[in-house]
Amino acid sequence: MFSTLFKRLNSASIKGSTSAFLKQPLQNVSRHIQTSITGDSQTALQKLRNQLRYYAITEIAGRPYLVTKNDKVIVNRLRDVKVGDILKLDKVREIGSKDYTLKGSPYIPETVFNINATVIEHTKSKLIQIVKKKRRKNYKHSRSLQQLKNIVFIFVLLNYWSKIYNKVLVGGPQRAFKDFKAYVIKIVFRQLRRLPSVQEKINKELGSTLASMEHSLLEKEAGCHSHLTLPEKGLTEERLMESLHKFQNLKAADWAGGKVSGSIYHGGEDLTRILAEAYKIFAVANPLHPEIFPGIRRMEAESVAMVLSMYNAPATGCGTMTSGGTESILMACKTYRDMYKDIKGINYPEMVVPDTIHAAFMKAAGYFNIKLITVPIDPVTLKVDIKKVERAITKNTVMIAGSAVNFPHGIADDITALGKIAKKYDVGLHVDCCLGSFIMPFLEKAGFPSTPFDFRVEGVTSISCDTHKYGFAAKGSSIIMYRTKEIRKYQYFLYSQWTGGIYASPSIAGSRPGALIAGCWAALMHMGEDGYLKSCKDIIGARKTMEAGVRSIPQLHVKGEPIGPVLAFGANEPLNIYDVGDKMSARGWNLSAIQNPSGLHVSVTLPWVKSAEQFVKDLKECVQGLVDDPSSGNGSTAAIYGTAASVPDKTIVDDVAAGFLDLLYKA
């Protein structure tokens, strides 16, 4: 059907040179042909015109030509095609400097069959660009996809590079290498854990450790009757009181004698009686319903106001009461996450904190999906490295934090320097004063060295303070403070579309114990400024006595320069500080073990005021005993922390910790 067309094309090329034919527009050739072709040929020609993606094969000057829709031809020697075929090209692939592979199928109205055509020779001229142009049209989508892949690859590469860069920039090359080495060992160890023999041994050791913990925990409860179901008949008051006193008298550490680090922040028997009376009066109160319990609302507001004043908040200062330091910190982190998502559009929030920050920040990062970036501390001062804090800040940073004082070492970070960074980069600065609470604000008045830490420092936007620690309120009360109400607004949970009515909650809990609010208010009012000033003098005085005693022992060293109520100390090699702790435990002292680096920690409370000198005496004797007989060490604490430090996969340590928590709920 196309024979007439191709013969005409062939005759046209014979009359003139090949180059002249190449310069003729297709429409001129078509016009010349239309004057002599039949109706059937006209139909065939129309089909050829309509198939813009088709190529015609014709013979010109005795050689096959590939004619494009733009009247451009490439001289080719084609196989497996004949004059009259119309190729529908699906792919054009360059296989060499002169060779192309054309893959497609011929278009034949009556019969359709598959055929391949291969270009084995072509002239090197600008006409080759026509093929590339056609390829560009046919494969625009493919190249776009390839470009997209390249862009994604670059972003992935930049992501990993930024992580490596930040690790080195913030932590330093030594820490980065150490972390990388630990990561590799961890991966290898995890793979080894998959081996049945290895997993069996780990499970055996884990079971043995948990069994030992269970025995140690439950042996103190010997003689107690188990109550796993409700009694058929309720107990009389007499029997109930008998059971309560029995629980009270179970063997426990001597906190009243001043031998327990922190834990019990006791303000005296008189204050305990007052707190109990306040609890009794407001036992059923719930601040969720201020219209029913207006007195609770008033006491909570006044408690917040008193602590704000103590921390020198501006007139715009505000806050809320929470259940403890952890909730106060959680609320601050949640607040900054939501605030900067609203103000700056940050969807992937990050917070920059010291290595020594309280674990509640790690909990907040896990709860609220905030990326946690920890910054090393100065090895001498044990304060957070300010330069590395600034290096760690990115466009996604919503907050930084510091402690006054931190739990591990009792050191106050440089809050003034952190405030300057917070203002420079327009991020929130939270100061964790949960442990410093009612000690830090009174240091200066008591005549002890202090450091700027409160709202007088520019850049500080929130502070947490535990009233249930050195404020001597009952356990379960803390204050989270903000510089302005505009910040505090983001702490609230508000939901106006609930079918149960408009719901608004200031913190995590809905219903809260009003009795604890009453107890907190009662403690603040009973102690007063003079009472807290006296307790500050007594507690810091006891800490200084203990610190001097530790410094007098050649085998020990104090961690940094503490200014608050905490004393932390370590041992010089070859002495193991955990062995010292075990020796002290045998004498009734309950000290807290810290790690990275190893040490012992004491949060000095009022009961320690009377036991400080005895502590120093016993400590000297325990250290001397280990010096005289090193084999007398190797106690349980040394074994636990020594094993934890040597295990490359910390998930095993996590399994032990989870097992311990499980034991707490074993009746």
Side-chain angles (χ1 to χ4, degrees):
M1 183 165 57
F2 293 97
S3 58
T4 305
L5 168 63
F6 291 119
K7 285 179 180 178
R8 188 59 184 161
L9 287 173
N10 186 38
S11 63
S13 63
I14 295 172
K15 289 179 182 179
S17 66
T18 301
S19 60
F21 174 82
L22 295 179
K23 295 178 181 178
Q24 289 183 352
L26 179 61
Q27 55 267 32
N28 293 341
V29 177
S30 300
R31 221 173 8 252
H32 183 62
I33 295 171
Q34 285 176 348
T35 59
S36 59
I37 59 177
T38 62
D40 290 340
S41 297
Q42 287 180 341
T43 304
L45 180 62
Q46 189 60 43
K47 281 188 176 182
L48 180 60
R49 287 174 174 172
N50 292 338
Q51 304 297 332
L52 297 181
R53 55 193 296 190
Y54 296 152
Y55 293 51
I57 304 300
T58 186
E59 185 175 326
I60 302 176
R63 299 184 67 184
Y65 278 59
L66 180 65
V67 184
T68 72
K69 63 186 178 68
N70 294 321
D71 194 24
K72 302 292 185 181
V73 298
I74 307 296
V75 179
N76 299 283
R77 187 173 299 155
L78 303 175
R79 291 177 178 176
D80 300 321
V81 293
K82 61 183 180 297
V83 174
D85 286 344
I86 298 176
L87 287 179
K88 177 183 177 183
L89 298 180
D90 297 323
K91 292 183 180 179
V92 179
R93 182 171 66 88
E94 184 173 1
I95 60 174
S97 61
K98 293 183 178 181
D99 296 335
Y100 287 81
T101 297
L102 308 180
K103 291 188 178 181
S105 57
Y107 176 81
I108 299 177
E110 293 81 14
T111 307
V112 178
F113 58 94
N114 295 324
I115 190 169
N116 290 332
T118 303
V119 179
I120 60 173
E121 181 182 342
H122 66 75
T123 56
K124 295 193 68 175
S125 70
K126 65 179 182 179
L127 295 176
I128 298 175
Q129 297 176 1
I130 304 302
V131 177
K132 295 183 178 180
K133 183 176 180 181
K134 194 64 182 179
R135 290 172 62 193
R136 188 180 301 116
K137 179 178 179 181
N138 292 340
Y139 294 95
K140 181 179 180 181
H141 177 70
S142 298
R143 284 202 311 278
S144 299
L145 183 61
Q146 185 61 40
Q147 290 174 355
L148 180 61
K149 289 180 180 178
N150 292 338
I151 292 173
V152 171
F153 175 75
I154 290 173
F155 273 110
V156 171
L157 195 63
L158 287 175
N159 179 50
Y160 280 103
W161 169 250
S162 65
K163 288 182 178 179
I164 296 173
Y165 180 76
N166 285 335
K167 276 284 186 181
V168 176
L169 191 68
V170 176
Q174 290 185 349
R175 176 172 171 177
F177 176 76
K178 183 179 178 181
D179 290 345
F180 176 73
K181 180 181 177 182
Y183 176 76
V184 172
I185 295 175
K186 178 181 177 182
I187 294 298
V188 173
F189 192 82
R190 280 189 175 181
Q191 296 305 316
L192 289 175
R193 284 191 67 178
R194 297 177 183 272
L195 298 175
S197 58
V198 176
Q199 187 61 51
E200 182 181 358
K201 183 173 180 58
I202 290 175
N203 290 338
K204 182 179 179 180
E205 292 298 328
L206 184 61
S208 175
T209 301
L210 293 178
S212 177
M213 285 184 174
E214 181 177 353
H215 175 73
S216 176
L217 195 65
L218 299 184
E219 70 173 349
K220 299 175 183 178
E221 304 171 11
C224 291
H225 297 290
S226 295
H227 303 284
L228 304 181
T229 60
L230 289 171
E232 292 184 5
K233 294 185 64 177
L235 301 181
T236 63
E237 181 178 354
E238 182 180 358
R239 287 191 59 192
L240 188 61
M241 291 300 111
E242 180 182 343
S243 296
L244 290 175
H245 286 301
K246 190 173 183 180
F247 285 133
Q248 182 187 28
N249 294 328
L250 290 177
K251 183 181 178 182
D254 182 16
W255 64 266
K259 289 193 171 186
V260 176
S261 171
S263 304
I264 308 341
Y265 297 87
H266 191 245
E269 293 297 334
D270 289 342
L271 181 58
T272 299
R273 179 180 52 79
I274 292 172
L275 297 181
E277 190 64 25
Y279 196 102
K280 177 181 177 182
I281 296 172
F282 291 96
V284 299
N286 183 357
L288 186 64
H289 306 288
E291 72 284 1
I292 302 176
F293 305 103
I296 290 296
R297 188 216 68 80
R298 184 71 189 181
M299 284 187 284
E300 181 173 22
E302 290 185 356
S303 296
V304 172
M306 284 186 272
V307 177
L308 281 166
S309 174
M310 194 170 69
Y311 278 83
N312 296 291
T316 57
C318 57
T320 68
M321 187 176 286
T322 67
S323 62
T326 293
E327 187 182 358
S328 290
I329 291 169
L330 289 176
M331 289 292 89
C333 295
K334 182 263 184 193
T335 297
Y336 292 121
R337 183 199 67 173
D338 292 355
M339 182 173 74
Y340 284 105
K341 181 177 182 179
D342 182 31
I343 296 175
K344 293 184 178 181
I346 296 177
N347 293 312
Y348 303 98
E350 300 175 359
M351 60 178 169
V352 180
V353 301
D355 278 341
T356 52
I357 204 73
H358 194 276
F361 285 88
M362 290 68 176
K363 182 182 285 189
Y367 281 2
F368 303 134
N369 197 27
I370 303 174
K371 182 179 178 181
L372 183 73
I373 300 175
T374 56
V375 178
I377 57 175
D378 183 280
V380 178
T381 65
L382 301 185
K383 298 181 179 182
V384 67
D385 190 316
I386 297 300
K387 291 182 178 179
K388 291 182 178 179
V389 169
E390 187 167 8
R391 290 174 188 169
I393 292 178
T394 69
K395 63 179 181 179
N396 289 323
T397 303
V398 297
M399 67 175 291
I400 60 177
S403 304
V405 294
N406 62 44
F407 176 86
H409 311 129
I411 303 298
D413 291 311
D414 189 345
I415 304 302
T416 301
L418 291 174
K420 292 178 181 178
I421 294 175
K423 290 200 69 176
K424 179 179 178 180
Y425 293 96
D426 188 23
V427 297
L429 169 57
H430 181 81
V431 182
D432 176 20
C433 285
C434 291
L435 187 53
S437 60
F438 284 67
I439 297 295
M440 293 298 292
F442 292 95
L443 284 177
E444 192 173 349
K445 294 179 180 179
F448 297 117
S450 186
T451 183
F453 65 92
D454 58 20
F455 283 111
R456 290 175 292 184
V457 177
E458 292 189 24
V460 172
T461 50
S462 60
I463 301 175
S464 52
C465 167
D466 281 0
T467 45
H468 68 197
K469 284 191 172 74
Y470 295 101
F472 307 123
K475 277 294 182 183
S477 68
S478 176
I479 306 292
I480 172 65
M481 299 168 277
Y482 298 100
R483 185 173 285 274
T484 66
K485 293 180 180 178
E486 287 73 23
I487 302 175
R488 182 180 63 176
K489 177 186 68 175
Y490 291 95
Q491 175 182 304
Y492 298 156
F493 177 80
L494 310 170
Y495 190 67
S496 59
Q497 304 302 312
W498 182 39
T499 53
I502 298 174
Y503 186 89
S505 174
S507 56
I508 291 177
S511 293
R512 293 180 292 143
L516 289 180
I517 294 174
C520 177
W521 181 88
L524 298 178
M525 295 298 290
H526 179 72
M527 290 294 297
E529 186 171 329
D530 61 332
Y532 288 122
L533 181 60
K534 182 179 184 304
S535 68
C536 175
K537 290 180 179 180
D538 292 342
I539 290 170
I540 298 300
R543 191 267 299 162
K544 290 176 75 68
T545 297
M546 296 163 61
E547 179 185 350
V550 172
R551 292 188 187 277
S552 69
I553 303 174
Q555 294 82 9
L556 302 180
H557 61 266
V558 174
K559 302 287 188 181
E561 297 291 337
I563 64 171
V566 174
L567 173 66
F569 56 96
N572 303 322
E573 292 184 352
L575 190 67
N576 188 326
I577 191 62
Y578 297 135
D579 286 338
V580 177
D582 288 331
K583 287 285 188 181
M584 292 291 284
S585 294
R587 297 191 178 209
W589 298 95
N590 191 293
L591 312 180
S592 301
I594 57 176
Q595 58 181 344
N596 304 322
S598 304
L600 295 176
H601 154 111
V602 179
S603 289
V604 181
T605 57
L606 278 178
W608 282 79
V609 173
K610 296 180 180 179
S611 63
E613 292 182 358
Q614 183 62 43
F615 168 81
V616 173
K617 180 177 179 294
D618 286 354
L619 182 62
K620 288 181 177 180
E621 292 177 359
C622 288
V623 170
Q624 189 59 48
L626 287 168
V627 171
D628 295 339
D629 182 12
S631 63
S632 63
N634 301 320
S636 59
T637 304
I640 291 173
Y641 279 91
T643 302
S646 63
V647 174
D649 184 4
K650 300 305 179 184
T651 57
I652 295 180
V653 182
D654 294 341
D655 290 341
V656 175
F660 174 76
L661 293 179
D662 289 340
L663 290 175
L664 298 182
Y665 295 94
K666 185 170 184 177

PDB file of all heavy atoms in Angstrom, residues 165-172 175 373-376 388-389 391-393:
ATOM      1  N   TYR A 165      28.948  14.845  60.869  1.00  0.00           N
ATOM      2  CA  TYR A 165      29.563  16.151  61.123  1.00  0.00           C
ATOM      3  C   TYR A 165      29.186  16.667  62.509  1.00  0.00           C
ATOM      4  O   TYR A 165      30.038  17.147  63.263  1.00  0.00           O
ATOM      5  CB  TYR A 165      29.120  17.140  60.050  1.00  0.00           C
ATOM      6  CG  TYR A 165      29.692  18.533  60.215  1.00  0.00           C
ATOM      7  CD1 TYR A 165      31.014  18.808  59.890  1.00  0.00           C
ATOM      8  CD2 TYR A 165      28.901  19.575  60.693  1.00  0.00           C
ATOM      9  CE1 TYR A 165      31.536  20.075  60.035  1.00  0.00           C
ATOM     10  CE2 TYR A 165      29.414  20.848  60.845  1.00  0.00           C
ATOM     11  CZ  TYR A 165      30.730  21.098  60.514  1.00  0.00           C
ATOM     12  OH  TYR A 165      31.240  22.357  60.664  1.00  0.00           O
ATOM     13  N   ASN A 166      27.899  16.544  62.865  1.00  0.00           N
ATOM     14  CA  ASN A 166      27.451  17.017  64.176  1.00  0.00           C
ATOM     15  C   ASN A 166      28.072  16.195  65.304  1.00  0.00           C
ATOM     16  O   ASN A 166      28.398  16.726  66.365  1.00  0.00           O
ATOM     17  CB  ASN A 166      25.925  16.957  64.263  1.00  0.00           C
ATOM     18  CG  ASN A 166      25.261  18.071  63.482  1.00  0.00           C
ATOM     19  OD1 ASN A 166      25.859  19.119  63.264  1.00  0.00           O
ATOM     20  ND2 ASN A 166      24.041  17.847  63.037  1.00  0.00           N
ATOM     21  N   LYS A 167      28.217  14.902  65.067  1.00  0.00           N
ATOM     22  CA  LYS A 167      28.844  14.052  66.076  1.00  0.00           C
ATOM     23  C   LYS A 167      30.266  14.523  66.362  1.00  0.00           C
ATOM     24  O   LYS A 167      30.689  14.635  67.506  1.00  0.00           O
ATOM     25  CB  LYS A 167      28.864  12.597  65.593  1.00  0.00           C
ATOM     26  CG  LYS A 167      27.601  11.816  65.854  1.00  0.00           C
ATOM     27  CD  LYS A 167      27.499  11.411  67.305  1.00  0.00           C
ATOM     28  CE  LYS A 167      26.306  10.498  67.534  1.00  0.00           C
ATOM     29  NZ  LYS A 167      26.180  10.104  68.961  1.00  0.00           N
ATOM     30  N   VAL A 168      30.989  14.805  65.293  1.00  0.00           N
ATOM     31  CA  VAL A 168      32.373  15.239  65.441  1.00  0.00           C
ATOM     32  C   VAL A 168      32.435  16.661  65.984  1.00  0.00           C
ATOM     33  O   VAL A 168      33.236  16.981  66.858  1.00  0.00           O
ATOM     34  CB  VAL A 168      33.126  15.149  64.094  1.00  0.00           C
ATOM     35  CG1 VAL A 168      34.534  15.704  64.226  1.00  0.00           C
ATOM     36  CG2 VAL A 168      33.162  13.713  63.606  1.00  0.00           C
ATOM     37  N   LEU A 169      31.545  17.530  65.473  1.00  0.00           N
ATOM     38  CA  LEU A 169      31.571  18.934  65.865  1.00  0.00           C
ATOM     39  C   LEU A 169      31.165  19.120  67.321  1.00  0.00           C
ATOM     40  O   LEU A 169      31.777  19.894  68.060  1.00  0.00           O
ATOM     41  CB  LEU A 169      30.638  19.742  64.955  1.00  0.00           C
ATOM     42  CG  LEU A 169      30.742  21.266  65.043  1.00  0.00           C
ATOM     43  CD1 LEU A 169      32.082  21.731  64.493  1.00  0.00           C
ATOM     44  CD2 LEU A 169      29.607  21.919  64.265  1.00  0.00           C
ATOM     45  N   VAL A 170      30.113  18.414  67.739  1.00  0.00           N
ATOM     46  CA  VAL A 170      29.588  18.590  69.095  1.00  0.00           C
ATOM     47  C   VAL A 170      30.372  17.764  70.108  1.00  0.00           C
ATOM     48  O   VAL A 170      30.778  18.253  71.152  1.00  0.00           O
ATOM     49  CB  VAL A 170      28.090  18.206  69.138  1.00  0.00           C
ATOM     50  CG1 VAL A 170      27.579  18.288  70.575  1.00  0.00           C
ATOM     51  CG2 VAL A 170      27.284  19.115  68.231  1.00  0.00           C
ATOM     52  N   GLY A 171      30.591  16.495  69.796  1.00  0.00           N
ATOM     53  CA  GLY A 171      31.237  15.616  70.758  1.00  0.00           C
ATOM     54  C   GLY A 171      32.743  15.551  70.651  1.00  0.00           C
ATOM     55  O   GLY A 171      33.404  15.067  71.562  1.00  0.00           O
ATOM     56  N   GLY A 172      33.285  16.028  69.518  1.00  0.00           N
ATOM     57  CA  GLY A 172      34.719  15.926  69.315  1.00  0.00           C
ATOM     58  C   GLY A 172      35.079  14.623  68.622  1.00  0.00           C
ATOM     59  O   GLY A 172      34.326  13.638  68.682  1.00  0.00           O
ATOM     60  N   ARG A 175      35.258  11.368  70.936  1.00  0.00           N
ATOM     61  CA  ARG A 175      33.953  10.838  71.328  1.00  0.00           C
ATOM     62  C   ARG A 175      33.236  10.250  70.122  1.00  0.00           C
ATOM     63  O   ARG A 175      32.574   9.212  70.233  1.00  0.00           O
ATOM     64  CB  ARG A 175      33.102  11.943  71.953  1.00  0.00           C
ATOM     65  CG  ARG A 175      31.691  11.501  72.299  1.00  0.00           C
ATOM     66  CD  ARG A 175      30.947  12.557  73.079  1.00  0.00           C
ATOM     67  NE  ARG A 175      29.545  12.210  73.209  1.00  0.00           N
ATOM     68  CZ  ARG A 175      28.664  12.934  73.894  1.00  0.00           C
ATOM     69  NH1 ARG A 175      29.052  14.027  74.508  1.00  0.00           N
ATOM     70  NH2 ARG A 175      27.406  12.581  73.955  1.00  0.00           N
ATOM     71  N   ILE A 373      19.818  15.982  71.497  1.00  0.00           N
ATOM     72  CA  ILE A 373      21.236  16.159  71.209  1.00  0.00           C
ATOM     73  C   ILE A 373      21.933  16.452  72.530  1.00  0.00           C
ATOM     74  O   ILE A 373      21.695  17.488  73.153  1.00  0.00           O
ATOM     75  CB  ILE A 373      21.474  17.301  70.213  1.00  0.00           C
ATOM     76  CG1 ILE A 373      20.756  17.005  68.889  1.00  0.00           C
ATOM     77  CG2 ILE A 373      22.967  17.514  69.978  1.00  0.00           C
ATOM     78  CD1 ILE A 373      20.833  18.132  67.892  1.00  0.00           C
ATOM     79  N   THR A 374      22.777  15.523  72.973  1.00  0.00           N
ATOM     80  CA  THR A 374      23.480  15.696  74.246  1.00  0.00           C
ATOM     81  C   THR A 374      24.879  16.249  73.992  1.00  0.00           C
ATOM     82  O   THR A 374      25.572  15.825  73.069  1.00  0.00           O
ATOM     83  CB  THR A 374      23.574  14.372  75.012  1.00  0.00           C
ATOM     84  OG1 THR A 374      24.213  13.384  74.191  1.00  0.00           O
ATOM     85  CG2 THR A 374      22.193  13.869  75.389  1.00  0.00           C
ATOM     86  N   VAL A 375      25.270  17.178  74.827  1.00  0.00           N
ATOM     87  CA  VAL A 375      26.547  17.876  74.675  1.00  0.00           C
ATOM     88  C   VAL A 375      27.472  17.483  75.825  1.00  0.00           C
ATOM     89  O   VAL A 375      27.042  17.438  76.984  1.00  0.00           O
ATOM     90  CB  VAL A 375      26.329  19.401  74.664  1.00  0.00           C
ATOM     91  CG1 VAL A 375      27.652  20.147  74.554  1.00  0.00           C
ATOM     92  CG2 VAL A 375      25.399  19.785  73.520  1.00  0.00           C
ATOM     93  N   PRO A 376      28.738  17.199  75.544  1.00  0.00           N
ATOM     94  CA  PRO A 376      29.683  16.814  76.605  1.00  0.00           C
ATOM     95  C   PRO A 376      29.905  17.945  77.607  1.00  0.00           C
ATOM     96  O   PRO A 376      29.665  19.122  77.317  1.00  0.00           O
ATOM     97  CB  PRO A 376      30.970  16.507  75.834  1.00  0.00           C
ATOM     98  CG  PRO A 376      30.562  16.317  74.419  1.00  0.00           C
ATOM     99  CD  PRO A 376      29.356  17.173  74.209  1.00  0.00           C
ATOM    100  N   LYS A 388      30.282  23.965  72.449  1.00  0.00           N
ATOM    101  CA  LYS A 388      29.670  22.816  71.779  1.00  0.00           C
ATOM    102  C   LYS A 388      28.146  22.893  71.797  1.00  0.00           C
ATOM    103  O   LYS A 388      27.483  22.345  70.917  1.00  0.00           O
ATOM    104  CB  LYS A 388      30.170  21.523  72.414  1.00  0.00           C
ATOM    105  CG  LYS A 388      31.645  21.265  72.128  1.00  0.00           C
ATOM    106  CD  LYS A 388      32.142  19.958  72.716  1.00  0.00           C
ATOM    107  CE  LYS A 388      33.610  19.737  72.352  1.00  0.00           C
ATOM    108  NZ  LYS A 388      34.164  18.489  72.925  1.00  0.00           N
ATOM    109  N   VAL A 389      27.593  23.559  72.803  1.00  0.00           N
ATOM    110  CA  VAL A 389      26.149  23.800  72.801  1.00  0.00           C
ATOM    111  C   VAL A 389      25.768  24.641  71.590  1.00  0.00           C
ATOM    112  O   VAL A 389      24.819  24.322  70.855  1.00  0.00           O
ATOM    113  CB  VAL A 389      25.701  24.496  74.104  1.00  0.00           C
ATOM    114  CG1 VAL A 389      24.249  24.976  73.985  1.00  0.00           C
ATOM    115  CG2 VAL A 389      25.832  23.560  75.291  1.00  0.00           C
ATOM    116  N   ARG A 391      27.414  25.038  68.817  1.00  0.00           N
ATOM    117  CA  ARG A 391      27.635  24.293  67.576  1.00  0.00           C
ATOM    118  C   ARG A 391      26.492  23.329  67.280  1.00  0.00           C
ATOM    119  O   ARG A 391      26.215  23.018  66.119  1.00  0.00           O
ATOM    120  CB  ARG A 391      28.941  23.502  67.663  1.00  0.00           C
ATOM    121  CG  ARG A 391      30.203  24.348  67.652  1.00  0.00           C
ATOM    122  CD  ARG A 391      31.413  23.466  67.884  1.00  0.00           C
ATOM    123  NE  ARG A 391      32.636  24.240  68.067  1.00  0.00           N
ATOM    124  CZ  ARG A 391      33.774  23.728  68.496  1.00  0.00           C
ATOM    125  NH1 ARG A 391      33.844  22.429  68.801  1.00  0.00           N
ATOM    126  NH2 ARG A 391      34.839  24.484  68.627  1.00  0.00           N
ATOM    127  N   ALA A 392      25.852  22.845  68.337  1.00  0.00           N
ATOM    128  CA  ALA A 392      24.810  21.826  68.164  1.00  0.00           C
ATOM    129  C   ALA A 392      23.479  22.411  67.720  1.00  0.00           C
ATOM    130  O   ALA A 392      22.580  21.663  67.320  1.00  0.00           O
ATOM    131  CB  ALA A 392      24.622  21.058  69.471  1.00  0.00           C
ATOM    132  N   ILE A 393      23.318  23.718  67.776  1.00  0.00           N
ATOM    133  CA  ILE A 393      22.044  24.344  67.427  1.00  0.00           C
ATOM    134  C   ILE A 393      21.852  24.336  65.912  1.00  0.00           C
ATOM    135  O   ILE A 393      22.757  24.668  65.153  1.00  0.00           O
ATOM    136  CB  ILE A 393      21.970  25.776  67.981  1.00  0.00           C
ATOM    137  CG1 ILE A 393      21.912  25.726  69.519  1.00  0.00           C
ATOM    138  CG2 ILE A 393      20.763  26.521  67.436  1.00  0.00           C
ATOM    139  CD1 ILE A 393      21.896  27.075  70.184  1.00  0.00           C
TER     140      ILE A 393
END
